[in-house]
Amino acid sequence: SPDGSGERLAARWPQVPYVQTGRNLGYTGGNNRGFDWARAQQADFVLVLNNDTELDAGCVSRLVETAESDPSIGAVAPKILVHDEPRRVWFSGGQLDLLRGGGTHTRPGALDAGDDTSPEPITFLTGCCFLISRRALDAVSGFDDSFFAYNEDADLSWRLLRAGFRLVYEPRARLTHKVPTEQVEPSLESRRRRWARDEEDMAVIQAAAPELMADHIETDEKTRLAFAHQLQLEVPLQKLLLIQQQTVRF
């Protein structure tokens, strides 16, 4: 960073290794350089973590314990709560949603009842925090640099699933994230507009799953159809995901 923050951090915590990229590579590029460094160190697992988070004691240990419980598990995500209101949920598992062009969070904004105490299968990992195994990382080669920032987590989740790995939500691993409490659910029409901003994208969607354009089909059914057509026709996920400038995120 040109503001000298890297040098100040290195001076304050000299025991922590730093990877200098030389320029802003975005969320994807920066994390991928970290992945490269971790693999060079023969790490068994790599933790992806935003810098505006605070982890509960034992959070990482819980993630590792769950990841080690089954070799088919490629990555594990924790429960993420709102920092300024730590009883309020930000992420408690998630699902890929091609209609939205990304991933959806389970129960965003809900009060944490503490009733989810066992690991659960998911199809979407938020880039805020997750633990990925070395085996899974080697199989998918990290984030796709072309995303730069936003929706890279949905793309990575999809490629991990396609590679045969399971994704798991571990509610006993907890952290807080400095984000607003309110969440806004976009309308079906606005989702369509963001999903297909030009004729080329619309043609891809129409060819892959024309049923998705019908108003009478419920959102869950549209998502199911999108996955069915994705698997059948091998339409690149990047064509169905939003580019970063068009993405609305939680």
Side-chain angles (χ1 to χ4, degrees), residues 223-237:
T223 302
R224 188 190 67 76
L225 287 168
F227 276 110
H229 282 278
Q230 174 88 15
L231 290 168
Q232 182 179 6
L233 300 179
E234 295 294 324
V235 178
L237 180 62

Side-chain angles (χ1 to χ4, degrees), residues 30-191:
N31 277 296
N32 281 339
R33 299 310 175 273
F35 288 151
D36 292 342
W37 182 89
R39 286 194 284 187
Q41 309 305 308
Q42 302 300 312
D44 294 323
F45 299 98
V46 181
L47 181 71
V48 174
L49 182 67
N50 278 13
N51 63 352
D52 57 349
T53 56
E54 292 183 11
L55 282 67
D56 285 6
C59 176
V60 177
S61 297
R62 285 285 193 184
L63 295 174
V64 172
E65 178 184 341
T66 300
E68 289 181 330
S69 68
D70 187 334
S72 70
I73 297 175
V76 185
K79 175 180 287 186
I80 305 176
L81 304 164
V82 176
H83 183 269
D84 291 337
E85 198 174 344
R87 289 193 59 231
R88 196 165 296 280
V89 171
W90 187 75
F91 179 88
S92 58
Q95 303 297 322
L96 280 174
D97 185 343
L98 296 188
L99 180 62
R100 292 190 64 169
T104 62
H105 294 203
T106 302
R107 299 188 302 123
L111 290 178
D112 179 27
D115 53 355
D116 50 347
T117 58
S118 300
E120 301 173 8
I122 56 176
T123 59
F124 170 68
L125 301 158
T126 172
C128 173
C129 180
F130 64 87
L131 184 86
I132 186 169
S133 72
R134 169 67 181 270
R135 289 177 57 250
L137 194 56
D138 287 344
V140 299
S141 301
F143 291 116
D144 183 338
D145 275 330
S146 65
F147 282 93
F148 192 81
Y150 300 115
N151 260 340
E152 74 296 315
D153 47 9
D155 173 73
L156 180 66
S157 298
W158 175 256
R159 289 188 288 114
L160 285 167
L161 292 169
R162 292 295 300 274
F165 291 100
R166 294 172 55 214
L167 310 181
V168 173
Y169 161 61
E170 173 50 88
R172 296 170 298 178
R174 299 160 56 96
L175 63 109
T176 61
H177 188 23
K178 297 178 181 179
V179 291
T181 303
E182 295 80 10
Q183 312 293 345
V184 178
E185 286 288 343
S187 67
L188 177 60
E189 182 58 33
S190 66
R191 292 175 187 179

